[in-house]
Amino acid sequence: WITARRSRAVAIHHRLRRKLHKAWKRKHLADHVIFAMETDLNALAVATSDCQRLFGSPIPPTMSRHGLRCLLLWLLALPVVLAGSVSPIVNA
């Protein structure tokens, strides 16, 4: 059932909410426990929707170029910085 859904996280969230509702209807858990679990499920749903929104938004080209240039500068400066801290190689 979970692989057939578009979003696995939302499918799991709905299944947990249904199971919690059944436990509340059958009086398997105390009301304060149900309330605490419902609060945790709501916080989980907010975190899930935030993550889906972040993963679904594209990276702007300017940010991509900036990251590439910073990485290139760091890689080019790395040998210069390491040259002073590494002992010289002596061929014997």
Side-chain angles (χ1 to χ4, degrees):
W1 62 272
I2 196 166
T3 56
R5 304 287 181 200
R6 186 173 65 91
S7 172
R8 286 183 230 146
V10 174
I12 291 172
H13 180 259
H14 285 293
R15 179 65 61 106
L16 286 173
R17 195 173 290 275
R18 274 189 286 171
K19 293 234 182 234
L20 188 61
H21 182 71
K22 284 181 184 178
W24 175 72
K25 282 281 210 181
R26 294 176 183 163
K27 302 289 185 195
H28 288 296
L29 297 172
D31 287 340
H32 69 281
V33 175
I34 295 285
F35 180 74
M37 292 177 76
E38 185 68 30
T39 304
D40 290 343
L41 274 175
N42 286 337
L44 185 64
V46 168
T48 301
S49 65
D50 288 346
C51 287
Q52 286 179 343
R53 182 179 52 84
L54 285 174
F55 287 139
S57 62
I59 298 175
T62 306
M63 182 185 265
S64 178
R65 277 184 242 124
H66 177 70
L68 180 64
R69 288 178 184 148
C70 288
L71 184 62
L72 184 64
L73 180 66
W74 185 78
L75 286 173
L76 289 175
L78 188 62
V80 175
V81 173
L82 289 179
S85 63
V86 178
S87 61
I89 299 174
V90 178
N91 291 335

